[in-house]
Amino acid sequence: MENVQVACDSCGTQLVPNAAYCEKCGARTRRARRLVRVAIRVELVFFVLVVLMVIGFTWIYAIQR
Ligand SMILES: [Zn+2]
């Protein structure tokens, strides 16, 4: 599975297990950064789906007239 990050990438402080942020310097852990990337991707997919739906309905409306 995922390799657990034990120390902060920025300052080297030992991290609490499954921490999202470093307690000392506030830097995001690798796990948190990955989750943010996944969240952004999911958001983009939803945005594209909504845009495609609007385009699709506009197109259906246009050819029905
Ligand atoms: Zn740190």
Side-chain angles (χ1 to χ4, degrees):
M1 266 193 72
E2 70 183 53
N3 51 338
V4 180
Q5 185 183 358
V6 290
C8 173
D9 284 337
S10 306
C11 68
T13 302
Q14 199 174 339
L15 294 170
V16 177
N18 294 324
Y21 294 92
C22 168
E23 286 187 324
K24 194 175 182 189
C25 72
R28 249 180 219 154
T29 60
R30 270 172 251 154
R31 182 173 167 273
R33 282 204 302 267
R34 194 174 57 232
L35 287 176
V36 168
R37 273 203 302 276
V38 169
I40 289 170
R41 216 168 297 160
V42 168
E43 229 163 76
L44 277 175
V45 167
F46 273 111
F47 177 73
V48 167
L49 280 176
V50 169
V51 168
L52 285 177
M53 236 161 62
V54 169
I55 291 171
F57 279 119
T58 306
W59 180 71
I60 289 167
Y61 179 75
I63 61 167
Q64 271 179 344
R65 273 195 297 190

